[in-house]
Amino acid sequence: VAVVQQRPVASPAPVVPDFAELAARVSPAVVGVVSVLNPEGEAGRARRGVGSGMVVRADGQVLTNHHVIADAASFAIEYADGVRVAARLVHGDPRLDLALLAPESGGTERTVATLSERRPRTGEWVMAIGNPFGLGDTVTVGVISGLGRDHEDLGRPESLDPEGVWSFIQTDASINVGNSGGPLVDLRGEVLGLTTAVRSDGQGVAFAVPAAMARKFLQEVWAHGRFRHARLGLEVGELDDRPAVRVLKLAPAGPATAAGLRTGDLIVAANEVPVRRVSDLAYLGRVSGVGAPLALQVQRGETRLALQLVPDEAPLADDER
């Protein structure tokens, strides 16, 4: 009987992304944001702040985090080619930690960052590019570590509004002071989020505002000159025994009441995305936007309902979740 020797089948070699090529494609759309803060300390000496951003329009408009410019007396944009120009604030919203800047002088067409339209996946490769400690064009890599993180998950940082609308992407890519506002990109070079914060009590735990929120912010500002916060017209609370939120209170004649919701209903999903916490529903409402139907999956006793809620605009002084 002939014995056939079986050769071991070699495993395919792991494919390592070409991060150098990726950085070369994305970097032209990344900028530094240099802020001059109100003078403190010695007389006549102003403090400077550094941050990052990305070009979102060919005329040089830049998207960054609101906290990057929140305390600035003036600020400037430093583009990838080294040109620095004074900038003005088009609109900023601390509840989203987003701000849109425009150069005071233009004339040069700029490379524009592409904001991703897909939902990121935990475990996928990402690259962060920014201006940590003023070190421009700094590149770090990592993976997406988690999704849907809120203010409490971040350790309640003082620089972010605790009443803000948060659904952060978590990453282990190295993020430091000055990275804020810079892009977190996938292997296609598309922006998945704006790097925003790190856990001060750990290592390798950083967070980014999702591209979906950034896209909605830009659409609103370009169309209306501001971000219109959507009002759902209800108060909800979290449950200990299941991933859902319970309707606690309804605004009379508000959007939730008009949609047919009742006190005690459990909201389990919105626009086919699971709703596990109060922050999930608040975020999904803002991303859907004023006047855009929000498809809710609701559990009422033993009955599962599909309801459509159309948010209206929250009064500026009463931004109701």
Side-chain angles (χ1 to χ4, degrees):
V1 177
V3 177
V4 179
Q5 296 289 338
Q6 296 287 340
R7 293 184 178 181
V9 177
S11 300
V15 177
V16 178
D18 187 346
F19 291 116
E21 189 276 334
L22 180 61
R25 283 194 288 120
V26 176
S27 290
V30 183
V31 307
V33 178
V34 182
S35 301
V36 177
L37 307 178
N38 295 327
E40 290 185 2
E42 297 181 23
R45 179 173 295 179
R47 294 183 298 119
R48 288 184 176 270
V50 294
S52 306
M54 66 192 78
V55 179
V56 290
R57 214 163 70 173
D59 63 1
Q61 287 196 6
V62 164
L63 182 66
T64 187
N65 284 134
H66 184 269
H67 76 260
V68 170
I69 52 88
D71 298 321
S74 63
F75 39 85
I77 299 167
E78 186 169 315
Y79 294 101
D81 58 5
V83 173
R84 181 182 293 189
V85 299
R88 62 180 176 85
L89 178 64
V90 178
H91 183 68
D93 193 318
R95 289 169 293 179
L96 308 177
D97 197 27
L98 295 173
L100 181 64
L101 312 180
E104 293 286 10
S105 58
T108 302
E109 187 168 311
R110 299 292 177 182
T111 301
V112 176
T114 300
L115 297 176
S116 175
E117 296 187 12
R118 68 177 182 86
R119 182 173 172 81
R121 296 181 303 151
T122 301
E124 68 172 291
W125 283 107
V126 287
M127 171 183 284
I129 306 179
N131 193 33
F133 305 109
L135 302 172
D137 205 25
T138 293
V139 173
T140 60
V141 298
V143 298
I144 290 179
S145 307
L147 300 169
R149 308 308 193 193
D150 66 11
H151 190 256
E152 185 173 352
D153 296 327
L154 271 66
R156 300 181 179 276
E158 293 182 0
S159 61
L160 299 180
D161 185 349
E163 298 301 319
V165 185
W166 312 123
S167 184
F168 292 101
I169 297 169
Q170 181 184 336
T171 180
D172 66 351
S174 181
I175 303 298
N176 290 284
V177 175
N179 271 110
S180 289
L184 185 72
V185 302
D186 62 15
L187 295 183
R188 305 174 189 176
E190 296 183 351
V191 178
L192 296 179
L194 283 79
T195 55
T196 299
V198 296
R199 281 286 301 235
S200 60
D201 56 349
Q203 294 181 338
V205 185
F207 303 90
V209 174
M213 190 75 261
R215 285 200 320 274
K216 187 64 178 179
F217 174 79
L218 292 174
Q219 291 167 2
E220 288 281 311
V221 174
W222 286 334
H224 304 285
R226 59 189 172 84
F227 186 87
R228 301 174 303 159
H229 282 261
R231 183 182 76 111
L232 305 185
L234 78 171
E235 293 181 9
V236 296
E238 295 169 5
L239 306 175
D240 294 328
D241 59 343
R242 61 182 298 180
V245 296
R246 185 185 304 277
V247 177
L248 303 177
K249 184 178 179 181
L250 296 167
T257 300
L261 280 162
R262 299 178 185 173
T263 302
D265 284 348
L266 303 183
I267 300 175
V268 298
N271 287 351
E272 300 183 350
V273 179
V275 172
R276 297 180 172 88
R277 298 190 290 188
V278 174
S279 58
D280 293 336
L281 185 60
Y283 173 77
L284 292 168
R286 298 309 194 282
V287 170
S288 180
V290 175
L294 192 64
L296 302 180
Q297 291 293 319
V298 175
Q299 191 72 36
R300 181 177 294 163
E302 300 298 321
T303 305
R304 178 63 66 92
L305 303 172
L307 302 179
Q308 189 176 85
L309 189 158
V310 181
D312 60 14
E313 183 176 358
L316 294 180
D318 183 25
D319 182 16
E320 192 174 0
R321 291 184 187 227

